[in-house]
Structures are given as structure tokens and as C-alpha cells.
Amino acid sequence: MIGELIIVSLCTMYVKSTAIDYNNKRQAIIDAEQKYATGGHAFLTAKESQANEILLNFKNHYITEASVNPESYAPGMHFFRAKPLIDKSDVFKIIKEIPKGSVLHLHNVAAVSSEWIIKNLTYQPEAKLCEINGKFYFTTRTSKFCPQESVRSIQQLRKENGTAESFDLWLESLINLKLRKPNLMHASINNVWDEFEQMFSAVKDLVSYKPFFEAFHTQLLKEFYEDNVFYIELRMSLSRLYDATDKVYDEFEVAKIVRNIVHTFKETNPDFIGAKIIYSKHRGMDSKAAQDQLHTFARLNSEEFPNFVIGFDLVGQEDINQPLTIFMDGLRTFQKTTAYFFHAGETNGYGTEADLNLVDAILLNTRRIGHGYSLYKHPALWRAVKSKGIALEVCPLSNQVLRLVDDLRNHPAVFYVSESVPIVISCDDPGFWDSKGISYDFYYAFMAIASNSAGIGFLKQIVWDSVRYSSLTPQERQQFAQILQLRWDRFVDNLVSGKFISDDCVSV
Ligand SMILES: [Zn+2]
């Protein structure tokens, strides 16, 4: 409706421009577009309006400065270069304090900061490093894959290799794209994905050791809770765990272990709402294996964890792996009983199989779409997504680091925001690119993706949409809404009273 009004205004402007106040007409169009975009209709209380003014002052101050000095404009830079600037900025300091609601797109193995893994897990006596064909894998055991002669104690290696500091930095480079090769900022998509997927392989066995798995997932919850996130939908494979006695834990036992970790975390942090699992398997498998995984999901979901293991997804680089059509038999068989949360359209292609995954995801009634990066190329599909209320899980930094886009001001989410296509902001794999939590993705969403004029209304909308498009039950939503409202009000009060701003901050 507002879109039509804008078009009518534009048409009549040409006809009557000599008779009307041109500036008023111009402003009316700008206002109408602003209201049409994400957050444009968000109701602001008097306090929120005050907070909005403060926030926009900081934002606009820097945007104005950047027009003189564009090469130091962090929102237009690659995150690896921009991070030190962002860390110093007042806008980021405010964004860190926002109660962010939920994170709905996160892969467990890549969710925890690499520094924590190195400084904690690799300092345990069980931690070992295995070298196979020039590639390194963290583990605690020897196996068929890592025979005795390929495995060394990390504590011993640390003693033998220079200073602990430089050795630890090298170790961390095995699971952090930023440290591994800074020129990955300019690598091809396939090259960066090779390095990225190697990091999952490098860390997987280490965090499959039950005591480490428990410490790792507790840390995951802690890092997000400290970043003001209260609920997570976690994509994980529930792959088998092992312990010191070589006991192996299957999917059901692993789900139970995760549920206990979440439960324990909630006991000490009562306003943390919880976490649920989207059972996710690599799309490199064949059709028969996919059917088996769908069957396992059906059992997990219906027999033991109906409100905990809530959905199914396929992961891995879409451009080089099999499209959803390959798995269609199984996906259609389980369609009525399975909530799908497909990665789809995470590609620069147009009309490629990866791009057309969007068609199948929507036809299979996906609840949300992971990325949906190429959706804007499909007018029928983005309109369907909008009318059906299928939220796109937009992960700005992931798309930049994995080379879909350099300057996030050119990210397709700019279009989704301008058209009010439902989105939630997420972080995908923050541990692998040094962006602990979700605040950096919020920063880019606010400074690079939303309009210059978007203020607290935009932030309010994406925070509350992260609850709206979650898989929480009505009762859980109610509880969450109460907690979030209290936190949001406190955030607005603090912003208005100037609590977040210190003298050493700069307007970035
Ligand atoms: Zn993902």
C-alpha cells in the first residue's frame, strides 16, 4: 500500500511539479520509503525517541566525517581490517549493550571464539595434534585416521616450539580464517571455503571428546549470553561423542547431554531462555543417507525431544554440493512431519542449482531460509517469502568473509530491508573469523545495511523479530517477551542517561 502511494506521488510530481511545493513532495517520498522499510513502523515511546536522537547523532556524525575520509569508514571495509576501528567506536559500544533477543542461525562447532579453544582446551593434558599430509587436526586420541606416529601431545609441542605465545597464535591460525591467511580477504569463493571447511575438520574430534564437548558448549552459551543473547537455535549434527573409557555416545545421548548443559546454564542464569537444536547434516551425502538422517530426525523429534530437536537442515557450500532436488524423495516423504530450516541461495549465482535451491526450500515449506542471499533475483519468490512470513537468516559477516560481497553496503539485505522482507540478523560461524557473539553483525546491519536514517526503530524491529520468527512455544514466547522488555527498557534508560559512552570512544 505504501509502495503504491510512493509510485502515485512520483507520478503526480511530474504532472504538478510546477504547482506544488517541490521540497514538500520530495520529503513526502523520502518519509514514505523510510516508513516502508524494516523498522519504519516501529512504535517509539518518548524515551525511545530520545534514545533514537542520541544514536542517530553518533551515526550521522560519523557518516558525515566519512564523506571527507571514506578510506577509514569501517562499515564499508572488510571486517578483518575494520575490527580495531569498530572496537573503539561509540556506536559499537551501544550495539554491544542491546538485548538482542535470539540468534537463529549458528553452527555449534564454529560458534566459540578460537582464542578460548586454544587457551583452554589445548592446555588440557589430553589435547593432542595430529598431522596428516600437511594438514593439522586437534584430537585427544589415536585412531585409524590419526595413527600413533602422527599424533603429538600439544603440551609437549608447546615446550619445544619457541614461546607459548607464538606457538598458540600458530595453533589458533588452524581454526581462525583471519589469522590463517590475511589474503583470504581477496581469495576466490572456493579457496576460502576449502580453508573454512578444513577448520571444521581440524576442531571436530577435539570437541567430540565428552568433557571438552561439555566445556565448549557451556562456553558457547556464555559468550552469547554475555553478548546479550537470551535464546539460540543451534544447527548441529549431534555426531557421536567419545570419552576417556572409549565409550561412544549416539545422537540421542548427545542431544540429552546438550539439553543438560542448557539446563545447567539456565539454573545459574535464570533470564536465559534456552537453546534448541536444528539437526543439520552435510549436503555432500547421497540420497539414501539423507533418507536415513531424516528418519533419525523423525525419531529424535517425535520420540524423545519434540520441543528440543526441532528442525532439519542441510549444510555445506551450496555452489559445489548437491542441490535439494537430489534429496527430494526423502524431503517430500518427511515434509508433513518435519520443520525445515534450509540454507538456500547462499550464492552469487543466478539460475544455478544453488540459486534454485530457493524454489525448493519454499515449495517444501521451509520455516526460515538460511541466508537467502540470491533471493532478490526472484520476484515471485521474495514476494512469496514476504507474504508467507518466512524470515531470511541474514549473516552479514559470513557473506563477506566467505567472499559473496566485499562492501556490505552492497549486500542484498539492503533490498530486503527497503522492501520489509522479514529478516533476522545472525552470525553463522563467528568463532572462525574472530567476531565473538553477534554484536559485529548487528553493527554492520545497522551501519552498512540499513539506511542512514534508520535508528532505534530498525534495531527494535530486528530484536523483536528474532523472537517472532523463532520456534518458541507460545508460553516460552510470553516468558521471553517479559524478560526482553525489561532488558530493552533498561538499555533505553542507560542510553538516554549516557551510561554507554566513554570519553575515549570515537564516532565510527
Ligand atoms: Zn550457516
Side-chain angles (χ1 to χ4, degrees):
M1 185 63 184
I2 291 174
E4 285 161 21
L5 282 176
I6 296 168
I7 292 164
V8 170
S9 304
L10 277 168
C11 294
T12 55
M13 184 175 77
Y14 291 115
V15 177
K16 300 176 185 170
S17 59
T18 53
I20 59 165
D21 181 336
Y22 178 90
N23 285 336
N24 285 348
K25 199 78 180 173
R26 181 177 184 276
Q27 195 56 48
I29 292 168
I30 293 169
D31 290 347
E33 281 201 339
Q34 207 172 315
K35 280 206 175 71
Y36 192 58
T38 303
H41 274 299
F43 171 77
L44 299 187
T45 63
K47 243 310 158 48
E48 285 168 342
S49 296
Q50 266 179 281
N52 189 45
E53 215 170 294
I54 295 165
L55 189 60
L56 280 178
N57 267 342
F58 285 120
K59 185 174 177 177
N60 291 332
H61 176 68
Y62 185 62
I63 289 167
T64 311
E65 270 188 5
S67 62
V68 184
N69 196 10
E71 61 279 3
S72 64
Y73 188 56
M77 281 184 203
H78 193 286
F79 175 63
F80 293 172
R81 282 181 56 224
K83 191 180 177 202
L85 291 172
I86 297 173
D87 284 338
K88 282 193 292 186
S89 80
D90 42 27
V91 170
F92 184 64
K93 196 163 186 194
I94 293 167
I95 279 177
K96 274 209 300 198
E97 299 298 332
I98 294 174
K100 299 177 193 71
S102 320
V103 165
L104 301 179
H105 188 124
L106 180 67
H107 300 268
N108 69 321
V109 172
V112 174
S113 54
S114 52
E115 188 184 11
W116 181 86
I117 293 172
I118 301 306
K119 295 294 182 196
N120 291 276
L121 298 186
T122 74
Y123 273 76
Q124 304 306 313
E126 302 98 311
K128 297 180 172 59
L129 196 64
C130 161
E131 183 182 0
I132 304 283
N133 298 328
K135 291 191 167 157
F136 294 92
Y137 303 85
F138 294 98
T139 186
T140 67
R141 59 181 175 175
T142 55
S143 62
K144 223 191 270 176
F145 179 70
C146 277
Q148 186 73 46
E149 62 274 18
S150 306
V151 177
R152 296 284 314 275
S153 149
I154 291 181
Q155 284 191 342
Q156 190 57 37
L157 284 169
R158 193 174 274 118
K159 275 186 206 151
E160 294 168 9
N161 283 278
T163 65
E165 199 184 342
S166 62
F167 178 72
D168 284 358
L169 212 54
W170 173 76
L171 273 189
E172 195 178 347
S173 75
L174 302 175
I175 49 169
N176 184 318
L177 283 170
K178 183 181 161 188
L179 296 173
R180 196 182 188 93
K181 285 179 191 163
N183 62 3
L184 283 174
M185 282 193 279
H186 313 290
S188 73
I189 290 177
N190 287 358
N191 281 349
V192 78
W193 265 91
D194 279 351
E195 301 277 344
F196 173 60
E197 293 219 341
Q198 169 59 26
M199 290 183 180
F200 283 93
S201 307
V203 78
K204 194 160 186 273
D205 206 52
L206 188 77
V207 295
S208 297
Y209 177 54
K210 184 169 174 277
F212 288 6
F213 180 89
E214 289 166 333
F216 177 91
H217 286 83
T218 302
Q219 177 67 14
L220 186 160
L221 300 178
K222 185 167 175 273
E223 288 188 7
F224 279 86
Y225 183 64
E226 284 175 355
D227 202 24
N228 292 304
V229 171
F230 305 98
Y231 171 68
I232 300 171
E233 288 181 10
L234 197 57
R235 280 169 166 88
M236 59 189 298
S237 64
L238 298 177
S239 298
R240 291 174 177 196
L241 304 184
Y242 62 95
D243 66 15
T245 66
D246 283 336
K247 175 174 161 36
V248 172
Y249 298 79
D250 69 14
E251 293 97 340
F252 284 79
E253 290 165 310
V254 178
K256 215 173 278 177
I257 291 165
V258 179
R259 194 170 60 182
N260 287 342
I261 294 166
V262 175
H263 183 74
T264 306
F265 190 81
K266 277 170 59 129
E267 279 179 347
T268 43
N269 302 284
D271 60 355
F272 185 72
I273 295 294
K276 298 186 188 196
I277 292 171
I278 297 171
Y279 185 62
S280 304
K281 291 290 173 179
H282 200 280
R283 54 176 81 240
M285 66 188 155
D286 64 24
S287 168
K288 166 74 177 64
Q291 297 219 18
D292 293 344
Q293 294 301 345
L294 281 156
H295 190 68
T296 302
F297 168 75
R299 287 180 51 225
L300 283 159
N301 176 253
S302 65
E303 288 173 17
E304 216 164 320
F305 308 100
N307 192 30
F308 185 57
V309 183
I310 49 147
F312 183 86
D313 187 16
L314 292 164
V315 300
Q317 187 184 1
E318 282 182 75
D319 278 324
I320 60 163
N321 280 294
Q322 302 172 107
L324 290 175
T325 47
I326 295 291
F327 310 110
M328 201 47 75
D329 285 349
L331 294 174
R332 290 191 66 186
T333 304
F334 286 90
Q335 184 180 349
K336 282 205 169 70
T337 52
T338 303
Y340 293 132
F341 294 85
F342 290 123
H343 279 71
E346 187 186 5
T347 178
N348 272 329
Y350 181 19
T352 59
E353 286 184 325
D355 173 46
L356 296 179
N357 275 337
L358 286 164
V359 180
D360 300 294
I362 292 164
L363 285 175
L364 290 163
N365 287 330
T366 192
R367 303 291 171 97
R368 295 189 302 266
I369 295 176
H371 299 285
Y373 187 88
S374 64
L375 183 74
Y376 71 101
K377 298 167 185 172
H378 302 278
L381 296 183
W382 69 253
R383 286 188 173 91
V385 158
K386 197 171 164 178
S387 67
K388 286 167 177 260
I390 301 169
L392 307 180
E393 299 161 351
V394 173
C395 307
L397 284 181
S398 169
N399 299 150
Q400 186 186 56
V401 173
L402 297 178
R403 304 291 297 121
L404 289 181
V405 59
D406 282 322
D407 184 332
L408 283 166
R409 290 171 295 181
N410 296 325
H411 192 287
V414 174
F415 171 72
Y416 306 142
V417 167
S418 76
E419 267 292 338
S420 264
V421 173
I423 60 164
V424 292
I425 298 298
S426 245
C427 48
D428 214 4
D429 307 285
F432 285 178
W433 43 73
D434 214 19
S435 70
K436 191 173 177 182
I438 195 180
S439 285
Y440 293 101
D441 286 279
F442 259 66
Y443 173 84
Y444 276 98
F446 183 60
M447 294 296 288
I449 289 173
S451 157
N452 284 0
S453 61
I456 206 162
F458 171 79
L459 295 169
K460 187 175 180 181
Q461 176 96 38
I462 57 173
V463 166
W464 287 93
D465 278 356
S466 78
V467 183
R468 180 177 175 190
Y469 295 108
S470 72
S471 306
L472 290 164
T473 64
Q475 200 186 357
E476 289 164 339
R477 275 167 205 269
Q478 208 176 9
Q479 188 203 355
F480 196 178
Q482 283 170 359
I483 288 168
L484 196 53
Q485 189 65 53
L486 278 174
R487 291 279 194 148
W488 177 264
D489 290 343
R490 199 190 311 162
F491 160 73
V492 171
D493 282 346
N494 287 340
L495 179 52
V496 169
S497 64
K499 199 174 166 198
F500 302 140
I501 311 302
S502 63
D503 295 340
D504 59 346
C505 281
V506 292
S507 298
V508 177

